[in-house]
Amino acid sequence: MNVRLKRAKELMGYAVQLTKDEGLPTMVKRGAGFVRRRFFGKRARYLPGKKVLEAQAAEMVGKTAENCGLPTISILTPLYNTPENYLREFLGSFVNQTAPNGQLCLADASDDAHPEVERVVREYQQKNQRIVYKKVENKGIAANTNAAETLATGEYLALADHDDVLAPHAMYAMGKAVLQLREKGEPDGFLYSDEALFTKDIKKPMVGHFKPDYAPDYLLCCNYICHLAVFKRALYEQLGGERPECDGSQDHDLFLRLIEQTGGAAHLPQVLYYWRVHAGSTSGGTDAKPYVAAAAKKALTDHLSRTGRTGTVEDGLFPSTYRVKWDIEGDPKVSILIPNKDHTDDLEKCLYSIWSKTEWDNFEVIVIENNSTDPATFAYYKDAEKRYEGLKVVTWPEKGFNFSAINNFGRKAAQGEYLLLLNNDVEVRNGDWLTELLRQCAHPGGAAICGAMLYYPDETLQHAGVVTGLGGYAGHSHKYKKAGGSGYLFRAATVQDFSAVTGACLLVRTSVWDEVKGLDEKFAVAFNDVDFCLRVRDKGYRIVWTPYAQLTHYESKSRGGDEKDPVKAARFAAEQQRLYDIHGKADILDDPYYNPSLTRDREDFSESGDLRNLKEGKVTVRWRNA
């Protein structure tokens, strides 16, 4: 009865929070998925198949850490009054690794009332001599982790909590990943994997945390890297280990300092770590450890100071998230380009919202007239130019509709250091929208492109970044989700790295626009923004999205849908194919900021129905720099 009651409470809490964040229909859909996974789901869905694990173990039969061919990874774990059942599960997960290249370094700060901690560890040492242990004075988690590091002999280190569980192939997969990086000539100083949450049994995980490849702006908003992180011991020692002054967010602080040395990180999209959810664990929410936020903000502030970047670190939109309010360098002028054909009511709503709400005052607006037929439109233009200071109307001389050509023409009239592509059917919601877009770009080390949060009029999300590969080509992150939710792993509520953002509201440095020669005019209607962003990304620039610039988008009011018109449908299909031809189908389907274990069918970041990469234990590590 107690177990049933506990499960009922767990499900009720999940349902209430999901309804609050994303609405009743989403709660019903996702809630059903939660029940299916939590209580009736396929066991061990994130673990490699039995034959895969057996093959790994067979490959390592008779081998030791010294001759197995894999780099040694020393796992640092502070112990403190660890419940015996948790400790046994953790130690067992190390003892039963499929490869012998691990070393477990335990620093035990348990008090005198918990002698069983040492007793259990000594018992497991008899099973595996790769477990090393020492008793230490309790000086906090960072100092205790540093004490564990003095026991380490491995070339690499990893961090693990005393109440969690390692996946059975964690050491094998990470060792192979390091070798793969070396074979490709890529940096091998810092790697991380995916992880999952569980309560009792890792074969019945609650949910997976499927992470993007290295995403520097996301990392400034939360410690999305977490577990399992592996890094060179020499780097750790060079940095002086973990900092006690950041206890509570000591790992986040360490990862930022490591990134400063390595310039990036490698991501292995395998679930190699299981994070136990229980009262008092950080995985259960930061309310259990309120000092975490203060430590995280210190870690981030110190990171800015060390890297010479200036801004203010503040709390984010949700607990355990943060935002950097970057200092904008200078007083850059923004040229806002708005194509328009008739629809003056939409345009007036857009222009009025810009002039009545925008706090950043160094801007100009260029309306690009393209083939209007209503005489009243031209009368409206003359009136609007009188009412809105800094507005000018230029006329595109060609016929038909070509979004790319129209904006390329408008750029010729622009004088700003930044260009902002803006649809005529959007309405500004917050006064600092343009300031927030500039914050992400107009500072040393900033992004080249920034996109905004766009809402439908019914207060659901229209755009929170673009993921390539969704639906086979590209789709909007978290589309149709209820406004106000955090999204998947806070990805709808924090500044994010993306491969693309929508051209309905896209800020770009003018110099970058010119460098890539603007929009490709062979993408007349669709995918011109995606193609543009991918070309900018391929030049080594970053594309980000911010939830702090908010607009309402009355989508496609200027144009009808394409699917019912055979000519438009054919053009749309041709532009889809052109996207493949230019950027490669494999690259389009493999967005580095979207995990391969997530669905490609929907925009909701739900689990893929095909987890073969996990079941087959594939080691395909992906390095990215800043």
Side-chain angles (χ1 to χ4, degrees):
M1 185 64 182
N2 288 338
V3 173
R4 291 181 181 177
L5 181 61
K6 184 176 180 181
R7 286 184 173 181
K9 287 182 177 178
E10 179 184 16
L11 181 57
M12 182 61 70
Y14 178 87
V16 169
Q17 187 61 47
L18 191 61
T19 302
K20 183 187 298 182
D21 286 351
E22 301 189 20
L24 184 60
T26 297
M27 185 280 289
V28 172
K29 179 180 176 182
R30 295 286 289 273
F34 173 83
V35 173
R36 184 173 62 253
R37 294 191 304 270
R38 178 67 180 87
F39 305 118
F40 308 106
K42 186 176 180 181
R43 289 172 61 85
R45 67 186 187 279
Y46 303 148
L47 290 171
K50 183 179 179 181
K51 291 183 178 179
V52 173
L53 295 175
E54 289 175 346
Q56 292 177 4
E59 179 186 341
M60 297 293 165
V61 166
K63 295 180 180 178
T64 66
E66 290 71 28
N67 64 17
C68 70
L70 300 177
T72 297
I73 301 170
S74 296
I75 304 164
L76 311 183
T77 302
L79 304 177
Y80 180 73
N81 298 345
T82 315
E84 183 172 341
N85 59 327
Y86 293 174
L87 182 57
R88 287 186 178 277
E89 285 189 64
F90 174 63
L91 295 175
S93 72
F94 175 77
V95 168
N96 294 314
Q97 288 291 303
T98 57
N101 60 315
Q103 179 193 33
L104 185 58
C105 304
L106 305 173
D108 182 11
S110 300
D111 58 34
D112 293 341
H114 294 81
E116 70 280 2
V117 173
E118 180 173 0
R119 174 178 56 80
V120 172
V121 172
R122 298 299 186 193
E123 175 188 331
Y124 276 81
Q125 280 184 310
Q126 300 303 310
K127 304 177 184 179
N128 191 312
Q129 298 301 307
R130 301 290 293 170
I131 299 174
V132 290
Y133 169 94
K134 73 174 178 179
K135 200 84 170 80
V136 299
E137 180 184 353
N138 186 17
K139 294 183 178 180
I141 189 167
N144 296 353
T145 301
N146 291 338
E149 193 272 335
T150 64
L151 301 171
T153 60
E155 182 183 1
Y156 288 82
L157 302 176
L159 306 174
D161 293 337
H162 63 165
D163 49 2
D164 294 338
V165 173
L166 300 167
H169 62 312
M171 296 297 97
Y172 179 95
M174 275 297 186
K176 291 287 188 180
V178 169
L179 298 183
Q180 191 176 103
L181 289 170
R182 292 174 179 176
E183 289 170 3
K184 294 191 290 186
E186 295 177 337
D188 60 343
F190 186 17
L191 306 83
Y192 64 93
S193 75
D194 296 338
E195 62 192 293
L197 303 187
F198 80 108
T199 53
K200 291 184 177 180
D201 184 351
I202 68 169
K203 292 183 178 180
K204 295 181 179 179
M206 295 171 62
V207 65
H209 283 186
F210 296 116
K211 308 165 191 175
D213 292 351
Y214 174 56
D217 296 277
Y218 187 23
L219 186 60
L220 293 179
C221 297
C222 62
N223 179 16
Y224 82 89
I225 288 178
C226 210
H227 301 297
L228 182 68
V230 171
F231 39 88
K232 283 189 172 179
R233 179 159 63 100
L235 279 175
Y236 186 90
E237 293 176 347
Q238 174 188 329
L239 294 171
E242 295 205 321
R243 298 196 300 162
E245 57 266 40
C246 289
D247 268 356
S249 283
Q250 71 287 337
D251 294 351
H252 196 178
D253 174 65
L254 174 64
F255 298 159
L256 292 168
R257 290 186 292 133
L258 286 168
I259 291 293
E260 291 164 20
Q261 301 300 315
T262 61
H267 172 219
L268 176 57
Q270 282 282 325
V271 175
L272 301 185
Y273 192 95
Y274 288 82
W275 201 0
R276 188 188 302 273
V277 179
H278 63 86
S281 69
T282 306
S283 58
T286 54
D287 289 344
K289 295 182 179 180
Y291 58 89
V292 169
K297 284 186 279 190
K298 175 174 176 53
L300 290 163
T301 300
D302 290 352
H303 169 69
L304 298 190
S305 178
R306 288 190 303 270
T307 55
R309 304 173 78 186
T310 59
T312 304
V313 179
E314 299 181 355
D315 289 323
L317 298 173
F318 287 85
S320 77
T321 68
Y322 312 95
R323 67 182 294 196
V324 178
K325 293 186 74 171
W326 299 105
D327 294 339
I328 296 173
E329 189 174 67
D331 182 31
K333 184 173 186 175
V334 180
S335 298
I336 302 175
L337 308 182
I338 306 177
N340 187 73
K341 177 183 179 181
D342 295 319
H343 290 277
T344 54
D345 288 346
D346 292 334
L347 180 60
E348 172 62 19
K349 182 185 293 184
C350 176
L351 295 178
Y352 180 78
S353 72
I354 292 172
W355 262 273
S356 64
K357 295 181 180 178
T358 305
E359 296 170 1
W360 187 265
D361 58 8
N362 193 8
F363 68 87
E364 62 177 355
V365 175
I366 300 167
V367 171
I368 311 161
E369 153 60 29
N370 60 100
N371 297 296
S372 293
T373 57
D374 186 349
T377 299
F378 300 93
Y380 169 81
Y381 289 152
K382 291 181 180 180
D383 176 66
E385 284 181 305
K386 295 176 183 176
R387 289 186 292 115
Y388 297 121
E389 182 180 356
L391 170 66
K392 58 183 173 181
V393 178
V394 298
T395 301
W396 185 55
E398 305 297 329
K399 299 298 181 182
F401 180 83
N402 186 311
F403 181 86
S404 298
I406 290 167
N407 279 287
N408 287 342
F409 176 78
R411 185 268 172 268
K412 296 176 184 177
Q415 299 177 343
E417 298 163 63
Y418 286 84
L419 304 175
L420 178 73
L421 307 188
L422 194 68
N423 277 19
N424 66 345
D425 57 351
V426 300
E427 182 178 10
V428 172
R429 293 166 69 109
N430 60 311
D432 59 350
W433 71 285
L434 189 51
T435 307
E436 291 299 332
L437 290 170
L438 281 168
R439 282 194 199 283
Q440 302 306 322
C441 300
H443 65 90
I449 291 175
C450 185
M453 171 74 89
L454 302 182
Y455 297 96
Y456 285 113
D458 65 357
E459 294 300 295
T460 57
L461 273 59
Q462 191 269 341
H463 171 264
V466 171
V467 176
T468 65
L470 289 185
Y473 298 94
H476 289 188
S477 162
H478 293 92
K479 193 173 184 179
Y480 307 124
K481 291 297 180 183
K482 184 179 178 182
S486 62
Y488 182 74
L489 300 180
F490 302 117
R491 293 195 64 177
T494 54
V495 175
Q496 289 289 310
D497 303 90
F498 276 101
S499 289
V501 294
T502 179
C505 181
L506 182 157
L507 182 77
V508 57
R509 291 204 296 269
T510 304
S511 60
V512 173
W513 173 281
D514 292 342
E515 181 181 347
V516 300
K517 297 180 172 54
L519 300 179
D520 183 340
E521 297 184 9
K522 291 185 179 179
F523 288 103
V525 178
F527 304 115
N528 35 58
D529 47 7
V530 176
D531 166 74
F532 175 70
C533 288
L534 291 178
R535 287 187 286 119
V536 169
R537 189 192 72 181
D538 291 345
K539 289 285 187 179
Y541 297 107
R542 295 199 327 282
I543 293 103
V544 301
W545 167 87
T546 177
Y548 299 104
Q550 302 180 357
L551 303 93
T552 300
H553 187 193
Y554 304 90
E555 186 181 27
S556 296
K557 281 192 173 181
S558 297
R559 297 175 50 253
D562 291 346
E563 63 279 354
K564 295 181 181 179
D565 184 320
V567 175
K568 291 181 178 179
R571 181 193 60 219
F572 185 78
E575 290 176 339
Q576 285 181 321
Q577 185 58 48
R578 179 172 171 76
L579 193 67
Y580 277 168
D581 293 343
I582 292 176
H583 299 284
K585 183 174 181 179
D587 288 342
I588 291 294
L589 296 176
D590 186 23
D591 189 325
Y593 301 115
Y594 191 76
N595 194 288
S597 292
L598 296 173
T599 182
R600 292 299 191 278
D601 300 326
R602 299 178 300 282
E603 303 91 348
D604 61 1
F605 284 74
S606 57
E607 238 174 67
S608 172
D610 181 3
L611 295 176
R612 278 180 295 178
N613 62 312
L614 302 185
K615 301 308 292 182
E616 295 172 3
K618 288 184 178 178
V619 177
T620 306
V621 66
R622 298 127 69 98
W623 161 265
R624 286 194 74 81
N625 60 19

